[in-house]
Amino acid sequence: MRYEQFRREYTAAGLNRSMLDACPLRQFETWFEQALAAQLNDPTAMVLSTVDEGGAPWQRIVLLKGLAKGSFVFYTNYRSDKARAIEREPRVSLHFPWNVLDRQVIVAGTAQKIGDSESADYFASRPRESQIAAWASRQSQTIADRTALEQRRQHIRERFGDGVIPMPPFWGGYRVLPERIEFWQGGEHRLHDRFVYQRGAGRDWEIEQLQP
């Protein structure tokens, strides 16, 4: 297979400064609504990038579960690799790859845990099987085979029976407080449109256009 032969023109739309909201969170919401209208698969899927104790980067897909208090919210196991990486280095990056629309949004910011009550409210809204899976999985730890995982899941089912499943003490949410957000719109002949919002000295958002 010759990978260099895979190419196409990006002609879905253009982007100029007059189209942008002064607030990047409102601009994100506008693009997100358009992603929903386009019926994209998994529009909330975002790539979370962290670095480990040696400074090596790692990425994985997580799901955006809220845009609140000027931050991007997701949930995970606090004993996972991603949580341990965030504890050591809370500066992270998020990437929304909305390729069907020739768009991507890149966020750089700082992750911090959200309150237990907020996490518990969200956990209570999850499907019961997802709640069981949160208890059963010792996320990021090695396992002999899937049979052991299925056995733990069955044990959790029996443990809680038909009762309410509480939030595990090792599970909860993070909010990513953005310092930089880039909106990328594909353009013809690789002359893409890129606008970046950055916090200024007065903490207001400043907008700059970048070369592709």
Side-chain angles (χ1 to χ4, degrees):
M1 180 179 294
R2 298 181 61 83
Y3 294 98
E4 67 271 18
Q5 293 180 351
F6 288 88
R7 62 174 62 89
R8 67 179 177 87
E9 284 293 334
Y10 299 97
T11 59
L15 184 65
N16 60 58
R17 191 179 292 264
S18 66
M19 299 175 178
L20 298 173
D21 195 288
C23 172
L25 282 303
R26 289 197 298 265
Q27 181 63 38
F28 178 87
E29 289 181 317
T30 296
W31 271 23
F32 183 75
E33 290 297 327
Q34 292 170 0
L36 290 179
Q39 298 184 330
L40 267 61
N41 289 328
D42 296 323
T44 61
M46 57 186 185
V47 179
L48 168 66
S49 298
T50 59
V51 294
D52 65 16
E53 67 275 10
W58 197 252
Q59 300 173 313
R60 78 287 286 164
I61 292 176
V62 298
L63 299 180
L64 177 68
K65 291 301 181 182
L67 194 64
K69 301 178 182 178
S71 62
F72 298 79
V73 177
F74 68 94
Y75 295 85
T76 190
N77 186 311
Y78 284 150
R79 298 172 182 170
S80 64
D81 283 348
K82 72 176 80 67
R84 289 195 294 268
I86 289 171
E87 184 176 358
R88 288 187 295 265
E89 175 50 82
R91 290 175 297 177
V92 301
S93 177
L94 306 174
H95 176 233
F96 294 85
W98 294 331
N99 299 334
V100 173
L101 299 176
D102 293 346
R103 288 177 174 175
Q104 55 183 321
V105 180
I106 307 167
V107 180
T110 302
Q112 58 182 226
K113 288 182 178 179
I114 66 176
D116 287 344
S117 61
E118 187 176 347
S119 292
D121 286 344
Y122 172 70
F123 187 83
S125 74
R126 303 183 84 203
R128 189 172 184 85
E129 286 299 319
S130 296
Q131 294 176 336
I132 291 171
W135 276 95
S137 175
R138 297 166 183 168
Q139 195 173 116
S140 301
Q141 295 186 28
T142 59
I143 192 169
D145 54 40
R146 187 174 179 85
T147 300
L149 183 60
E150 296 289 354
Q151 289 173 344
R152 280 210 301 273
R153 180 165 66 174
Q154 183 58 31
H155 171 73
I156 295 300
R157 284 199 186 102
E158 294 170 357
R159 173 182 172 184
F160 292 110
D162 295 328
V164 173
I165 300 177
M167 182 182 73
F170 50 81
W171 192 95
Y174 286 98
R175 67 178 77 258
V176 177
L177 302 169
E179 290 292 325
R180 173 186 171 107
I181 305 179
E182 179 179 328
F183 293 85
W184 183 100
Q185 178 71 64
E188 288 186 293
H189 314 303
R190 299 300 186 266
L191 294 179
H192 313 302
D193 295 308
R194 297 173 60 194
F195 287 89
V196 62
Y197 293 72
Q198 296 193 87
R199 291 288 192 185
R203 304 302 293 166
D204 292 327
W205 290 105
E206 298 176 354
I207 306 175
E208 294 181 326
Q209 184 169 7
L210 305 179
Q211 297 185 52

